[in-house]
């Protein structure tokens, strides 16, 4: 598994405002979208393309196009939904599937409550969206699910990741031969006793959707 922390002053600036406890929900949503678009630029470095012959108004030339089938983008509900528009801005032709997952706040175990994905995932490239990689339980379960269904290339885009979660994913993916990359805006210090990322940004789903 590869972890790529995007080092860019604009990402750092937007993330700083996002983290602030006083940032309201509309601003939080807008910044999330903007951050995802910036992260998506890095995350799509290995998006599959094929050669294409085209003709400009001036001359024939060679270029590339995204291969078919298009990449699959999977936001993990609820909080991952706030990342979808920012991702679609960069990959407008991607197909979108959904995973609904919730972490039990007592046991910190992830559960899947909804799934809406294309029937045949074999050989597909997938971008998983979830702003928070905390204990890693949610992403581990989502990745396991997608690998079992035949996805053969996974990039997870997160805003924040905790070292504990990254270590857990590295361990759980040791024997998975599908390449997995995590692209994140920051790798934070640690988890607190409630499994929250420190310094973090609080509950991403609540902040996106105005739950007080
Ligand atoms: O790495 P983990 O310890 O599994 O925690 C991270 C998960 O927790 C949050 O979702 P939450 O369960 O709060 O659901 P929500 O998106 O509906 O708020 C977050 O968006 C991740 O999905
Ligand atoms: O810090 C955290 C951890 C899990 N989920 C969140 O929304 N925030
Ligand atoms: Mg939440």
């Amino acid at each position: 598994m590869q972890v790529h922390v995007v080092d860019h002053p604009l990402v750092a600036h937007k993330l700083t405002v996002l983290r602030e406890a006083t940032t309201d929900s509309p601003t939080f949503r807008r910044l999330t979208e903007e951050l995802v678009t910036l992260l998506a630029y890095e995350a799509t470095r290995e998006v599959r393309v094929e050669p294409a012959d085209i003709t400009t108004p001036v001359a024939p030339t060679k270029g590339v196009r995204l291969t078919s089938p298009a990449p699959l983008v999977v936001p993990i509900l609820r909080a991952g939904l706030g990342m979808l528009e920012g991702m679609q801005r960069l990959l407008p032709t991607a197909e979108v599937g959904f995973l609904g997952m919730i972490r039990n706040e007592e046991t910190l175990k992830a559960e899947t409550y909804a799934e809406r994905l294309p029937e045949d995932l074999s050989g597909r490239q997938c971008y998983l969206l979830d702003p928070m990689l905390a204990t890693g339980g949610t992403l581990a379960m989502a990745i396991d699910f997608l690998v079992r269904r035949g996805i053969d290339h996974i990039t997870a885009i997160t805003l924040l990741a905790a070292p504990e979660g990254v270590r857990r994913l590295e361990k759980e993916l040791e024997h998975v031969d599908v390449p997995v990359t995590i692209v994140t805006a920051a790798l934070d210090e640690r988890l607190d006793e409630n499994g929250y990322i420190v310094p973090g940004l609080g509950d991403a789903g609540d902040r996106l959707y105005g739950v007080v």
Side-chain angles (χ1 to χ4, degrees), residues 19 22 91 122:
R19 286 183 191 274
T22 51
L91 266 186
S122 49

Side-chain angles (χ1 to χ4, degrees), residues 114-133:
E115 178 255 305
R116 186 78 165 88
L117 294 168
E119 199 63 38
D120 184 14
L121 297 183
S122 49
R124 300 283 296 267
Q125 194 171 22
C126 177
Y127 294 91
L128 260 177
L129 308 179
D130 193 326
M132 310 302 273
L133 196 186

